[in-house]
Amino acid sequence: GKTSFLHILGGILAPTGGRVLWDGRAIAASGRHTLRGKTVSFVFQKHCFLPELTVLENVLLPWRIAGAGSLRAARVRVRELLSFAGLSNRENYAPNNLSGGELQRAAVARALLLRPKFLLADEPTGSLDNGAEICVRDLLLSLCRSEGTGLLVVSHGNAFDRSVDRVIILKNGEIEDEKGNGGCEISS
C-alpha cells in the first residue's frame, strides 16, 4: 500500500478514484510524466541502477532523460552531490562494486540532481544496517534542507521519527497517530 501511495502521489500510477493535486492542479493521466524530475523525484526502496553504467552515469540519468541543459553543468552537479554523499572516489565504479549504503546514497544524489520541489522516499533505509541507515537518513535530511526540497518518507521503521517535522502513523488505512506540525491534506 505505501509504495502504491507514493507512486500515485508522484504520477507513476494513476489513482483508481479521486485525484492528486500538485500546486492546486490535478495531475491528468496523460500529463503525469511531466510531474517527475523537476517537481517530484523518487528514492526507491531498491536503488534501480543500471549495471552497465558507472555510478556517475547512473546518477546523471535524470538529466539525460529530461535533456535539462548543459552536460558540463550536470556533471559538476553530479560530482557535488556525490561528494556530499561521500562517494567522490566511487563515481567510476560499477554499481555492483558498491555496498548497499553507498548505493542508497548515490540514489539520493540521483533523486536530487534536477533540484525537485519534492522528494518521495520509499523505505530508503529499509535494507540497510544501522550505521548505513543513519548515514542515508542524515544525508537525505541534510540535502533536502539545504536544497529546499520537501521530503515524504514512507517506512515500516522509525529511523526518521525524531528527525522530521511531522510523523503520521497509518494503520489499516486510518490515521492512528500524528506527531508534530506541518500542513498536509489527504482526502478521498
Side-chain angles (χ1 to χ4, degrees):
K2 58 185 179 41
T3 297
S4 296
F5 173 68
L6 282 187
H7 287 184
I8 290 168
L9 279 180
I12 291 175
L13 295 175
T16 56
R19 57 195 180 133
V20 176
L21 302 175
W22 279 99
D23 290 331
R25 293 187 313 251
I27 305 169
S30 62
R32 289 191 323 265
H33 68 282
T34 61
L35 177 70
R36 293 190 299 274
K38 283 293 228 179
T39 302
V40 175
S41 192
F42 288 87
V43 175
F44 297 100
Q45 191 169 0
K46 300 286 184 192
H47 51 79
C48 303
F49 282 155
L50 299 174
E52 63 275 7
L53 300 180
T54 66
V55 171
L56 184 135
E57 292 166 334
N58 269 289
V59 174
L60 196 57
L61 274 177
W63 176 87
R64 290 197 179 281
I65 292 167
S70 160
L71 176 58
R72 179 175 287 150
R75 285 180 185 268
V76 167
R77 172 96 171 129
V78 167
R79 287 189 171 108
E80 287 171 356
L81 289 166
L82 288 175
S83 176
F84 197 86
L87 297 171
S88 299
N89 60 341
R90 300 279 198 261
E91 70 179 45
N92 293 314
Y93 280 44
N96 64 349
N97 292 324
L98 273 63
S99 71
E102 289 172 327
L103 288 167
Q104 277 303 81
R105 287 183 284 155
V108 169
R110 177 183 54 198
L112 291 169
L113 178 64
L114 298 178
R115 301 181 194 276
K117 294 177 184 176
F118 215 80
L119 183 63
L120 305 175
D122 184 6
E123 287 282 0
T125 61
S127 63
L128 304 177
D129 64 38
N130 191 47
E133 175 183 270
I134 292 167
C135 186
V136 169
R137 178 202 64 202
D138 291 350
L139 174 67
L140 257 173
L141 294 170
S142 178
L143 275 172
C144 283
R145 285 184 179 125
S146 70
E147 298 273 326
T149 300
L151 174 64
L152 174 66
V153 177
V154 294
S155 178
H156 287 293
N158 60 359
F160 288 84
D161 285 7
R162 291 190 178 106
S163 307
V164 295
D165 298 329
R166 186 170 188 194
V167 176
I168 299 173
I169 299 171
L170 298 175
K171 188 169 184 176
N172 299 322
E174 302 290 328
I175 295 177
E176 181 179 88
D177 193 13
E178 186 174 349
K179 304 169 192 165
N181 302 319
C184 141
E185 180 179 329
I186 301 173
S187 61
S188 56

